[in-house]
Amino acid sequence: MNIFFVGGMGTLLLLGLPVAFTLGLLAILGMFFFNGGTFAFMQVPIISYKSLDDFSLTALPMYVLMSQVLLVSGVGKDLYEMASRWFRHFPGGLAIATLFCCTIFSAISGSSVATAVTVGSVALPEMVRRGYAKRHVLGLLAAGGTLGILIPPSIPMIIYGSITGESVGKLFIAGIIPGAILTISFMIFSAYQTRHIKDAPATWKERFESCRTAIWGLLLPVIVIGGIYTGIFTPTEAAAVGVVLAFAISALVYRNLSIENLKQIILATVKTNTMILFIIVGAMLLGFILTILRIPQTIVNIATSQDISPWIIFILINIALLILGMFLETVSILVISLPILYPIIIALGFDPIWFAIILIINMELALISPPVGLNLFVLKGLDRSNTISEIVKGVIPYAIIMVVFMVVLSFFPEIATVLIDKVD
């Protein structure tokens, strides 16, 4: 049976069938052959409905909508200009500014793709014009874009919470310190790598003027995350607040919320949410038949009954996630692997919130891992002269930093969990 599902999934994906339909088709075939024939098909609409009937998923379309509104509004350009004026006089200062902008926009949008597109479209031509090696710029933009799924709010964290039942608020808070450490590590390396470049400093007047125009983009993550952290509102309520503020900023501050832009925002939001929700439904259908066949329970029993260290199993899990990341995108990996991995992690006695951060960093690696790393293709799409091999060469040092940080986080899980006792 395991060969049927694994072989079937590999074959269908290689044939080019979308992940959502691959999962759903395997689930339906599994129900037919292993769970009572056509009678089992009655479960399909029931499971599909239940998989989406989850209050925590309500935040997902709202965070996607907020991301799309900000992508159109021009917030990213003002944030980059502000960061540039404050940091460019340092050696490698524009690289620091770019990563700082990635961090702020990540905290606004929750999307790695939105971060890479928005910051990359502004930073790439500017940094190359000022003498930064293109390979270095592409590497830091690809790596900086991945921060979008670690720094809250994070769409993968919402999916993790929905599948496992863990608190999305705690997951968001757990990502703050790891996100900050990883960002600072990227900044230190990129500044060292480009230390020979130093731009003329901006005047204090120019710096404060840039803050005045970028203040709305800076306030949004403070309100959203600050509201969750202080208990003023839940993560779902925070998403609603973020959407309202994003529309207000676009309409009243930037004044570019035209009918045409609104159509673009709604269409992009519907496409993204439909893709994610279809994958979730397909994964839940497959999870149902796998559970009926007791495949996850068998894997858990094998993993926990062996006379080997839990840390060996943990390392094997990370290797498996790294391999999956080379061929699948983030949402697919989460919904396919979590129904199996989460029970193993619990049975081995690991903290599920800490493991969520480890998993998210693995997903960051997936975004920059060839052959299908999404951020690689996003940056290639910004300029036809960019090549995948050039981007990969630039991003390798940042991938090594991520792996080293995962090792550190494995030895010191308090990095991720120290703040979560503040959340009810």
Side-chain angles (χ1 to χ4, degrees):
M1 288 185 292
N2 291 353
I3 295 175
F4 170 81
F5 289 110
V6 175
M9 184 177 300
T11 302
L12 293 174
L13 289 174
L14 287 174
L15 290 174
L17 191 67
V19 173
F21 299 116
T22 295
L23 298 174
L25 180 59
L26 283 176
I28 290 172
L29 290 174
M31 290 177 186
F32 180 79
F33 288 113
F34 304 122
N35 193 40
T38 56
F39 178 77
F41 292 168
M42 295 174 61
Q43 295 293 326
V44 173
I46 298 172
I47 297 166
S48 300
Y49 176 81
K50 285 185 176 180
S51 64
L52 300 181
D53 186 25
D54 187 337
F55 183 72
S56 63
L57 280 179
T58 309
L60 178 61
M62 288 190 284
Y63 280 121
V64 174
L65 177 58
M66 182 176 72
S67 171
Q68 293 299 328
V69 173
L70 294 171
L71 199 60
V72 170
S73 70
V75 170
K77 184 177 180 181
D78 281 347
L79 286 172
Y80 185 77
E81 183 61 28
M82 180 206 69
S84 171
R85 292 183 182 183
W86 280 91
F87 291 106
R88 72 188 186 201
H89 60 286
F90 293 112
L94 209 54
I96 299 174
T98 299
L99 287 166
F100 177 82
C101 188
C102 285
T103 304
I104 299 300
F105 199 83
S106 295
I108 294 173
S109 69
S111 166
S112 287
V113 173
T115 301
V117 169
T118 305
V119 180
S121 60
V122 179
L124 180 58
E126 181 68 11
M127 292 186 71
V128 172
R129 184 179 69 83
R130 297 198 183 199
Y132 287 79
K134 194 173 185 180
R135 186 182 73 183
H136 295 162
V137 178
L138 291 169
L140 74 89
L141 285 171
T146 67
L147 297 170
I149 63 172
L150 179 59
I151 296 173
S154 162
I155 291 171
M157 287 182 183
I158 296 172
I159 295 172
Y160 184 99
S162 172
I163 294 174
T164 64
E166 297 292 337
S167 164
V168 175
K170 289 184 177 181
L171 292 169
F172 279 4
I173 300 303
I176 293 176
I177 294 179
I181 293 174
L182 201 55
T183 300
I184 293 170
S185 301
F186 285 174
M187 285 180 174
I188 292 171
F189 173 77
S190 62
Y192 175 78
Q193 192 178 45
T194 58
R195 62 192 181 280
H196 58 285
I197 302 176
K198 187 176 181 181
D199 291 306
T203 65
W204 284 103
K205 181 180 178 181
E206 289 174 332
R207 292 174 185 175
F208 287 117
E209 281 181 354
S210 66
C211 288
R212 179 176 56 82
T213 56
I215 188 65
W216 301 105
L218 292 171
L219 281 177
L220 192 51
V222 173
I223 293 171
V224 171
I225 303 304
I228 296 172
Y229 188 74
T230 57
I232 296 175
F233 36 69
T234 67
T236 303
E237 293 167 342
V241 171
V243 168
V244 172
L245 288 175
F247 271 110
I249 290 169
S250 184
L252 302 178
V253 178
Y254 291 90
R255 299 185 180 182
N256 58 2
L257 196 62
S258 63
I259 297 297
E260 191 60 37
N261 283 344
L262 194 57
K263 288 180 181 177
Q264 178 185 339
I265 289 167
I266 293 173
L267 185 60
T269 301
V270 170
K271 283 182 177 179
T272 301
N273 282 308
T274 301
M275 179 268 293
I276 294 173
L277 295 176
F278 259 111
I279 292 175
I280 291 174
V281 169
M284 291 304 179
L285 287 171
L286 185 60
F288 169 78
I289 185 60
L290 292 179
T291 302
I292 292 294
L293 298 175
R294 297 189 60 80
I295 292 176
Q297 295 91 325
T298 301
I299 294 174
V300 172
N301 290 337
I302 292 173
T304 55
S305 63
Q306 302 301 310
D307 188 21
I308 56 177
S309 169
W311 288 102
I312 298 296
I313 298 174
F314 174 75
I315 292 171
L316 293 175
I317 287 173
N318 279 277
I319 293 172
L321 289 171
L322 182 62
I323 295 171
L324 285 173
M326 293 179 180
F327 303 99
L328 296 173
E329 44 77 39
T330 301
V331 175
S332 303
I333 298 172
L334 286 172
V335 295
I336 291 171
S337 65
L338 270 177
I340 296 174
L341 295 183
Y342 183 76
I344 295 176
I345 291 299
I346 297 299
L348 294 176
F350 292 117
D351 187 314
I353 299 292
W354 161 80
F355 177 71
I357 304 304
I358 294 287
L359 181 60
I360 295 298
I361 298 174
N362 271 292
M363 297 305 96
E364 289 187 297
L365 284 168
L367 287 166
I368 55 176
S369 297
V372 295
L374 193 55
N375 280 14
L376 306 180
F377 291 95
V378 166
L379 289 173
K380 179 174 172 56
L382 290 178
D383 185 345
R384 291 183 181 273
S385 66
N386 299 337
T387 64
I388 295 296
S389 61
E390 187 178 28
I391 302 170
V392 170
K393 288 176 183 176
V395 85
I396 285 174
Y398 297 94
I400 293 172
I401 291 173
M402 290 182 193
V403 172
V404 171
F405 180 61
M406 272 200 294
V407 174
V408 173
L409 187 59
S410 299
F411 284 103
F412 302 99
E414 299 83 8
I415 294 173
T417 60
V418 67
L419 292 179
I420 61 175
D421 60 340
K422 302 289 185 180
V423 183
D424 292 333

